[in-house]
Amino acid sequence: MTSFVPPGRARRRTASLAVVLCAGLTAALTACGGEDPDKGTNGVGRLSAPEIEKKAQAAADAADAVRLAGTLVSKGGTYRIDMRLKNKGGAGSVTSKNSTFALLRIGDELYLKAGAGFWSHDDGGGADSGKDGATAADKLEDKYVKVPGDDPTYKQLSGFTDKKVLLDGLLTLHGKLAKGDRDEVAGVRTVRIMGGEGEGGALDVSLEGKPYPLRFARGGGGGVVTLADWGKDFALKAPAEDETVDYGKQLPKTSSSS
């Protein structure tokens, strides 16, 4: 015998089914009947935090070039950086408490250019030391100096021009990973992942195109850096001869290392 369900009851069952389906979809949609927040994106936002981190690191490693700009805070002080980097070198500027200097690295050759304040120093050695500092400042001011590879300054400053060194340090989150809020960086939609509820750093990853890291906030107030111009090549050219000074096998002591 064929069962018969009154029309009113059928409508109520259909409505109840819709409610159940709606509730089951709320994890993927902003609300029943709402729009998927990942619609039109690269889909990275649907992944777990560890998966997003892995995607971002892979995209960064595969990119030929990047620009980093922002502030880094370390035990040695606070640095404002604006560097364009690629696998074979980099160029840009670094500003510390005492001075601003330009860096240029092409392969293993590192060039440094700074004003007199960077080279001038008084290390407590008396009048002669002050005179030596002034002499160095006069000779080196606003000129590119090729930094000898075995000079302590080389190791100290070359890291600012090394894409792998900087990215490895910036893109590492510490602690248990978790997904944070959606946001925008320079008009690009992003999803945030955090380490240790933010204490281990926070990384905003692009939801448009390749999942590049676009902003990194270091834990403990260690600074914020934006990452842009991914994959955009730029020229690295050695300075002209009249723009350089050969200071020999070891540079004088600078204000940044005092």
Side-chain angles (χ1 to χ4, degrees):
M1 179 176 66
T2 303
S3 63
F4 173 74
V5 179
R9 187 178 299 175
R11 284 193 295 269
R12 288 194 296 271
R13 287 183 177 178
T14 302
S16 298
L17 179 60
V19 170
V20 172
L21 291 175
C22 179
L25 289 173
T26 53
L29 305 178
T30 55
C32 186
E35 186 176 346
D36 182 352
D38 291 303
K39 183 178 179 180
T41 72
N42 55 22
V44 167
R46 298 187 180 97
L47 303 178
S48 67
E51 290 172 325
I52 295 174
E53 181 187 44
K54 186 176 180 180
K55 289 278 188 181
Q57 289 177 337
D61 289 342
D64 295 328
V66 65
R67 180 176 182 175
L68 279 74
T71 302
L72 296 176
V73 181
S74 68
K75 293 180 180 179
T78 299
Y79 299 91
R80 294 197 306 273
I81 67 170
D82 188 352
M83 298 295 302
R84 299 190 69 182
L85 309 169
K86 55 184 178 179
N87 294 331
K88 294 184 179 180
S93 64
V94 179
T95 300
S96 65
K97 179 180 179 180
N98 299 319
S99 58
T100 297
F101 51 94
L103 293 172
L104 169 65
R105 184 175 63 83
I106 306 171
D108 293 329
E109 296 183 344
L110 176 66
Y111 297 90
L112 167 65
K113 181 170 74 170
F118 179 85
W119 299 108
S120 298
H121 66 279
D122 183 0
D123 58 8
D128 289 342
S129 67
K131 183 178 179 180
D132 290 343
T135 300
D138 290 342
K139 185 176 182 179
L140 303 178
E141 181 178 13
D142 293 329
K143 293 285 188 178
Y144 278 103
V145 181
K146 187 175 181 180
V147 182
D150 56 356
D151 189 285
T153 304
Y154 187 98
K155 183 177 181 180
Q156 180 185 3
L157 299 180
S158 62
F160 286 112
T161 68
D162 192 312
K163 173 176 174 282
K164 179 174 174 55
V165 168
L166 278 183
L167 291 185
D168 283 352
L170 289 177
L171 303 185
T172 300
L173 298 170
H174 303 281
K176 185 178 180 180
L177 296 182
K179 288 171 66 173
D181 298 330
R182 304 300 177 94
D183 202 349
E184 286 190 1
V185 176
V188 178
R189 287 180 292 174
T190 60
V191 60
R192 179 170 299 171
I193 55 175
M194 302 174 294
E197 298 182 352
E199 290 298 318
L203 185 67
D204 290 283
V205 179
S206 176
L207 289 173
E208 303 176 20
K210 294 184 179 180
Y212 289 125
L214 298 185
R215 181 170 56 201
F216 181 79
R218 300 178 74 190
V224 178
V225 174
T226 58
L227 304 97
D229 296 342
W230 285 102
K232 293 184 179 181
D233 196 16
F234 60 95
L236 285 175
K237 183 179 179 181
E241 186 174 344
D242 60 357
E243 296 179 317
T244 61
V245 172
D246 183 0
Y247 202 80
K249 295 183 179 181
Q250 186 171 1
L251 296 181
K253 187 178 181 182
T254 71
S255 61
S256 67
S257 57
S258 298

